[in-house]
Amino acid sequence: MSSSKIQVRGQPLLRVPARNHRMTHLIVCGVSTKRHHREINALSSNSGPSLDSVPTRTDKRQFLRGDGNGKFGRFGGKFVPETLMSRLIELEDEFNFVRCDHEFQEELTTALRDYVGRETPLYFAERLTEHYKNIVPTIEGGTEIYLKREDLSHCGSHKINNALAQAMISRRLGCSRVVAATGAGQHGVATAAACAKLSLECTVFMGAADIEKQSFNVLSMKLLGAQVISVEGTFKDASSEAIRNWVENLYTTYYLSGTVVGPHPCPIIVREFQSVIGKETRRQAKQLWGGKPDVLVACVGSGSNALGLFHEFVGDEDVRLVGVEAAGLGLDSGKHSATLAFGDVGVYHGSMSYLLQDDQGQILKPHSVGVGLEYPGVGPEISFMKETGRAEFYTATDEEAIQAFMRLSRLEGIIPALEASHALAFLDKLVPTLRDGAKVVVNCSGRGDKDLDTLIQRGMPSSFC
């Protein structure tokens, strides 16, 4: 198959398959190679549909879980140079094998139980429930709020579920070195811990701005034996550098993706290993109240914790799936990470999804007080959920997230990550619209001790002191 060279900084670094030339927008390894192809965005600039009802689905068929080749409708795919194709195919083959391999699954299940600390509790937030009951008086008792306590996992977030499993795959593929990119540092810490456990060399790329904000996690990564490499910019830039490094060392190095973006099969792999969150939630809900949750709520950056909770319930039409993006300083400020509210369709880091981009197709810099949400795109499956109407997406500002952070800390004695605080913040708008007795599960995807420096640097709100 013919291909054409791409000149990057004067050097022929990458090759793009000719079959992808129909795209006038292509970014491989974070490098813009041509003017972006833009598609008219059918979304309004509102932060989401009406809260009063579940949105009408745009496809009446059974909801698709993907076509088996990493495509969700028009989203996903592999937009990569030929040099990566064979490695991605090898990765997909190995992933499909371990999904059904008893020995691998037994080792992973044991590690998740004894090392990670699974299963994590589905915790009834009694005082938070009472708080909203006082705001919205009801006769029958109001909405019950439960927290899926991923913050109690080893390393303090959901990230370890995927990092440990992929590190095991890396070892099976004969790769002695792992590279990863991290924003808030949670994926970096989880990857460093998994590599330490499995005796793998670990290199983590991290944006200079994020290193300054997340010094605690940087020290943790180094303590766990990882090399932390500073990259000018934020998470999106660190991701580009990690992928470049992987391309340069394909047969000794494993790229351990922490979120549901990138070329197939990376998003599917992350989603599969995070789906333990939703599987546990279904089982625990059955035990606690004999049914399913009415509403699932999760923050959305690029989508790993949201899909981890949502995926198990995709086929349950009576369960609402609610994602909350970062509105930053406000949707009109231009400083936000609300990709699904304002994004257009394009290709970035190897797959098609919604992206934050300007009129010239250049990727915009995202903003959120929760640095783990600062990514200019979302995963293909999340994009598909938006387009089909299976999930609803809304936004919460920095200030709303901080207030929710403080509220949970004071009412429940739980300090949530600022990322998860966006999901908690949306309860203010969600709860008044729900029927009495509704069961809401919020994914508390990480703990917030990492964010205390950020709040101190911003100046603690007077209500905090």
Side-chain angles (χ1 to χ4, degrees), residues 115 155 160 163-165 167 189-200 224 256:
Y115 184 71
C155 300
I160 188 66
L164 183 59
V189 172
T191 301
C195 288
K197 183 181 188 303
L198 298 176
S199 189
L200 299 170
L224 292 164
L256 205 159

Side-chain angles (χ1 to χ4, degrees), residues 256-320:
L256 205 159
S257 174
T259 192
V260 288
V261 298
H264 179 67
C266 295
I268 303 294
I269 291 174
V270 177
R271 179 256 280 159
E272 179 67 21
F273 291 135
Q274 291 295 359
S275 66
V276 64
I277 301 171
K279 292 173 183 176
E280 288 181 2
T281 298
R282 181 187 289 277
R283 182 169 62 250
Q284 291 166 324
K286 184 70 173 177
Q287 293 169 347
L288 287 171
W289 63 80
K292 295 179 288 190
D294 294 291
V295 187
L296 303 176
V297 186
C299 65
V300 175
S302 43
S304 64
N305 92 94
L307 268 185
L309 180 63
F310 293 170
H311 185 69
E312 172 68 16
F313 296 91
V314 163
D316 295 89
E317 298 280 355
D318 54 344
V319 178
R320 290 174 65 182

Side-chain angles (χ1 to χ4, degrees), residues 404-456:
F405 175 97
M406 295 190 295
R407 184 182 304 119
L408 191 69
S409 299
R410 291 292 173 84
L411 292 180
E412 297 291 347
I414 298 170
I415 303 175
L418 282 172
E419 292 79 15
S421 297
H422 287 73
L424 292 161
F426 191 67
L427 293 175
D428 287 359
K429 298 174 183 176
L430 176 67
V431 170
T433 70
L434 300 177
R435 64 170 178 81
D436 284 346
K439 307 291 195 298
V440 177
V441 173
V442 181
N443 195 3
C444 189
S445 55
R447 66 177 186 239
D449 46 349
K450 69 179 180 63
D451 296 314
L452 296 180
D453 283 346
T454 297
L455 292 178
I456 291 171

Side-chain angles (χ1 to χ4, degrees), residues 133 137-144 435-438:
K133 189 186 300 183
T138 62
I139 297 174
E140 299 181 21
T143 299
E144 294 183 6
R435 64 170 178 81
D436 284 346

Side-chain angles (χ1 to χ4, degrees), residues 12-166:
L13 178 62
L14 306 173
R15 288 180 178 267
V16 181
R19 62 177 174 270
N20 286 336
H21 285 180
R22 66 183 183 276
M23 299 297 298
T24 56
H25 161 99
L26 184 60
I27 293 185
V28 182
C29 298
V31 180
S32 179
T33 62
K34 291 182 182 291
R35 179 173 176 172
H36 284 242
H37 166 72
R38 292 169 60 84
E39 301 189 18
I40 296 175
N41 184 9
L43 304 177
S44 72
S45 60
N46 296 328
S47 61
S50 168
L51 284 171
D52 296 329
S53 63
V54 180
T56 302
R57 292 272 294 280
T58 56
D59 81 354
K60 302 297 182 181
R61 300 167 298 167
Q62 182 179 4
F63 185 78
L64 297 175
R65 291 179 178 266
D67 67 355
N69 295 307
K71 294 284 288 184
F72 295 87
R74 58 178 171 159
F75 303 108
K78 296 178 186 176
F79 296 86
V80 298
E82 286 294 337
T83 51
L84 278 181
M85 290 299 290
S86 61
R87 199 59 170 162
L88 289 173
I89 291 170
E90 182 182 7
L91 174 60
E92 183 178 4
D93 289 344
E94 186 65 25
F95 169 64
N96 287 331
F97 177 80
V98 301
R99 289 174 72 178
C100 304
D101 181 59
H102 176 74
E103 182 179 348
F104 179 91
Q105 292 298 326
E106 185 176 29
E107 180 183 358
L108 177 60
T109 299
T110 300
L112 289 175
R113 183 192 66 214
D114 298 341
Y115 184 71
V116 175
R118 304 208 72 88
E119 62 184 19
T120 60
L122 185 60
Y123 168 75
F124 176 50
E126 184 175 3
R127 291 195 66 204
L128 188 63
T129 295
E130 192 67 28
H131 167 79
Y132 285 107
K133 189 186 300 183
N134 292 334
I135 294 175
V136 188
T138 62
I139 297 174
E140 299 181 21
T143 299
E144 294 183 6
I145 300 170
Y146 294 80
L147 306 179
K148 184 56 176 162
R149 296 291 309 277
E150 292 303 295
D151 57 305
L152 295 179
S153 296
H154 180 49
C155 300
S157 80
H158 70 294
K159 294 294 188 180
I160 188 66
N161 304 324
N162 164 69
L164 183 59
Q166 284 206 62

